[in-house]
Amino acid sequence: MEISIKVIVQDMLTGIEKLVSVAFSTFVAKPVGKEKIHLKPVTLLTEQDHVEHNLASERRKVRLHHEDTFKNLMKENSEFDDPICDEEKGMVSTGGTAVQSIELVLPPHANHHGNTFGGQIMAWMESLATISASRLCRAHPLLKSVDMFKFRGPSAVGDRLVFNAIVNNTFQTCVEVGVRVEAFDCQEWSKGQGRHINSAFLIYNAVNDKEEMVTFPRIKPISKDDFRRYRGAIARKRIRLGRKYVTSHKEEVPVCVQWDISNQVSLSNANVEALKNLAAKSGWEVTSAVEKIKIYTLEEHDLLSVWVEKHVERPAHLTYHLLSDFTKRPLWDPHFMSCEVINWVSEGDQIYYITCPIVNGDKPKDLVVLVSRRRPLKDGSTYTVAVKSVLLPSVPPCPHYIRSEIICAGFLIRAIDSSSCTVSYFNQISASISPYFAGNLGGWSKSIEETAASCIKFIENATDGGLINTF
């Protein structure tokens, strides 16, 4: 059974309540004999009950596939050179963050069966992990989230519990600490052979005196185990991102602007500027690299952005012509069913109506977007194709589709030489389009890599004659 736990704090003077944390714990009923205990189904009374029940089912699917997904991601990670592993100034060896402690399980630490309270073990693990994380910053680390607390076996009164914590990896303003717990009874202690009973991965932030987020130094893996933990942290981060966006239930809050023909220049320039600002942000982290394709992610509070970088063996100006014509998008992108121009605003700006396929058994989605194209002012600069949703009164939402939106997306195309270029696709993911990305980030889908490969093939196989006829 899955149990939802919410912690709320209330200000005694104002009565204002604030949500502190949310957790989901999985319990099993221990049978007296050999037969499993079959639990009665939960009675769903309200619409919110049904929403939570469906989300619990999604979380269970993620948990059941976690081990296979993790193994696949670890295999992927071992096949490419992570630039974070490169030498750079200020890197810290993982050995300097290792912390160990030993606790003796006493009667107050155990239940009436003599088994150690799970909460007591979790508290000990969290204390040790905090010390480990503090080795990397001149501040008190703050526990941001827990990837998992996995109970592999019981411990009892009289057992010695050996806790080992170490930083696995850092990701800009957060750090992952792994904690392992082994239990020893008297005989096991004399032989030096313990039982692995718990594992956990805890994520920390830190703030300085000005309440600003502290950037952690990068970790320098040295031993074989260091590299295994280092790459494991990257895999878990991908799973967390995917899990977060596949199991979150967010109501779409429209942020797209009303299209105004009298203000088209300002809206077009803002569209292009937003894409350039997204690309210029710091903190992008590589999550996947396959041949000509690299995928980066950027997580800011509740916002997730994706950057897909592709190497294409075609000139930049021809690539720009192909990608800026969105009527060609369904030829290579399976997430676009149809794409038609509904308003040719100017040579550089068009408004398109786009339909997308069904995802997760829901209705198909549709979008109304402004595509703003810009050629470079001088040779060797960047071609820009910016995309943003707009509200157009002539194209109201249709009951057969779910009206979705693109907050900020597009292509930046940079020439490498006269015959090749780099194509960077950016997308600031909204709640409505997160299902198209979540599986890939979580490791149980290859849609982004497959779409990127299809894009490269489309560009490299296109004929110059077709381009000249089109534009």
Side-chain angles (χ1 to χ4, degrees):
M1 69 184 82
E2 181 193 271
I3 297 178
S4 170
I5 305 163
K6 293 184 179 180
V7 182
I8 298 173
V9 63
Q10 183 183 50
D11 189 307
M12 296 296 291
L13 298 178
T14 64
I16 297 175
E17 294 184 345
K18 184 186 298 184
L19 181 64
V20 176
S21 62
V22 176
F24 301 97
S25 295
T26 305
F27 285 78
V28 293
K30 186 178 179 181
V32 177
K34 293 183 179 181
E35 294 185 4
K36 291 183 178 180
I37 296 176
H38 294 278
L39 303 173
K40 295 180 180 179
V42 176
T43 302
L44 307 177
L45 301 177
T46 66
E47 183 179 349
Q48 186 62 28
D49 289 345
H50 285 275
V51 169
E52 294 297 338
H53 185 270
N54 292 334
L55 291 176
S57 298
E58 292 298 321
R59 284 188 290 270
R60 184 170 185 269
K61 290 178 185 177
V62 172
R63 287 196 299 271
L64 291 175
H65 290 96
H66 181 274
E67 290 299 327
D68 290 338
T69 301
F70 181 77
K71 289 178 182 178
N72 291 335
L73 290 177
M74 287 294 283
K75 184 178 179 181
E76 280 184 26
N77 288 342
S78 65
E79 294 175 354
F80 74 92
D81 294 327
D82 183 357
I84 301 177
C85 284
D86 297 340
E87 288 285 342
E88 73 170 51
K89 187 177 180 180
M91 295 185 77
V92 178
S93 170
T94 54
T97 66
V99 184
Q100 184 183 82
S101 71
I102 301 175
E103 300 288 347
L104 177 63
V105 180
L106 300 174
H109 302 144
N111 60 23
H112 59 286
H113 294 294
N115 294 325
T116 316
F117 286 124
Q120 178 61 69
I121 296 177
M122 293 166 70
W124 281 330
M125 294 172 79
E126 193 270 339
S127 296
L128 199 69
T130 301
I131 296 171
S132 179
S134 68
R135 298 280 178 87
L136 292 181
C137 61
R138 296 175 179 269
H140 184 72
L142 306 172
L143 182 61
K144 175 187 176 185
S145 62
V146 176
D147 186 287
M148 67 172 70
F149 271 109
K150 191 163 187 178
F151 292 84
R152 298 175 177 270
S155 61
V157 172
D159 282 348
R160 294 174 177 88
L161 305 186
V162 178
F163 296 78
N164 284 286
I166 193 168
V167 168
N168 293 328
N169 207 337
T170 59
F171 304 98
Q172 300 293 328
T173 58
C174 68
V175 57
E176 181 193 280
V177 181
V179 186
R180 176 187 173 97
V181 187
E182 293 182 317
F184 298 78
D185 60 22
C186 291
Q187 291 183 348
E188 291 167 336
W189 185 261
S190 63
K191 295 178 181 179
Q193 297 176 345
R195 292 165 280 126
H196 180 196
I197 63 167
N198 290 89
S199 288
F201 302 98
L202 300 91
I203 317 302
Y204 285 87
N205 292 134
V207 295
N208 58 23
D209 296 337
K210 299 178 181 179
E211 296 298 319
E212 298 170 335
M213 297 288 283
V214 172
T215 299
F216 289 93
R218 290 185 175 180
I219 283 295
K220 180 182 178 181
I222 297 175
S223 68
K224 185 177 180 180
D225 281 341
D226 290 345
F227 276 96
R228 175 182 56 79
R229 291 191 295 263
Y230 180 93
R231 297 191 184 280
I234 296 174
R236 280 185 293 273
K237 186 173 190 291
R238 284 191 62 179
I239 294 173
R240 283 196 298 273
L241 285 174
R243 181 177 62 203
K244 176 180 178 180
Y245 288 92
V246 81
T247 60
S248 62
H249 180 70
K250 297 179 181 178
E251 295 295 332
E252 187 72 29
V253 180
V255 296
C256 54
V257 297
Q258 181 82 30
W259 173 250
D260 183 359
I261 191 67
S262 64
N263 198 28
Q264 67 182 50
V265 174
S266 175
L267 293 175
S268 175
N269 290 338
N271 188 18
V272 172
E273 195 66 24
L275 176 61
K276 291 181 176 179
N277 289 338
L278 177 60
K281 288 185 176 182
S282 61
W284 290 98
E285 295 172 346
V286 64
T287 58
S288 175
V290 182
E291 296 181 357
K292 297 180 178 181
I293 304 164
K294 279 188 177 181
I295 300 175
Y296 301 80
T297 55
L298 174 66
E299 195 173 11
E300 304 171 291
H301 304 293
D302 289 333
L303 292 177
L304 176 68
S305 301
V306 172
W307 164 19
V308 184
E309 184 180 81
K310 298 165 280 191
H311 180 84
V312 179
E313 296 295 338
R314 290 305 297 274
H317 69 281
L318 296 181
T319 302
Y320 164 73
H321 282 309
L322 287 167
L323 295 181
S324 61
D325 181 5
F326 267 48
T327 59
K328 298 181 182 296
R329 188 78 177 259
L331 296 176
W332 58 267
D333 191 341
H335 303 110
F336 281 55
M337 289 179 60
S338 66
C339 192
E340 59 178 313
V341 179
I342 55 177
N343 190 345
W344 189 278
V345 180
S346 66
E347 184 64 28
D349 297 282
Q350 291 83 44
I351 296 178
Y352 289 83
Y353 175 70
I354 300 168
T355 60
C356 304
I358 296 173
V359 177
N360 297 337
D362 212 337
K363 293 181 182 179
K365 301 178 185 293
D366 66 348
L367 307 103
V368 177
V369 300
L370 168 67
V371 177
S372 303
R373 309 181 300 178
R374 297 290 189 274
R375 292 182 174 87
L377 298 176
K378 58 182 180 179
D379 293 339
S381 295
T382 303
Y383 292 86
T384 304
V385 183
V387 186
K388 177 181 174 57
S389 288
V390 291
L391 295 173
L392 201 64
S394 59
V395 188
C398 171
H400 301 298
Y401 291 89
I402 298 175
R403 177 57 52 89
S404 303
E405 74 169 348
I406 293 175
I407 302 172
C408 176
F411 300 95
L412 296 180
I413 304 162
R414 297 182 178 89
I416 298 174
D417 51 38
S418 60
S419 61
S420 63
C421 64
T422 298
V423 176
S424 293
Y425 173 71
F426 295 88
N427 197 317
Q428 190 177 85
I429 299 177
S430 63
S432 59
I433 66 172
S434 63
Y436 295 101
F437 290 90
N440 198 104
L441 296 175
W444 57 86
S445 168
K446 291 287 185 182
S447 61
I448 297 181
E449 285 97 333
E450 290 170 354
T451 302
S454 176
C455 178
I456 294 172
K457 184 177 179 181
F458 168 74
I459 295 170
E460 294 182 346
N461 291 343
T463 61
D464 294 355
L467 290 170
I468 293 171
N469 293 335
T470 303
F471 295 91

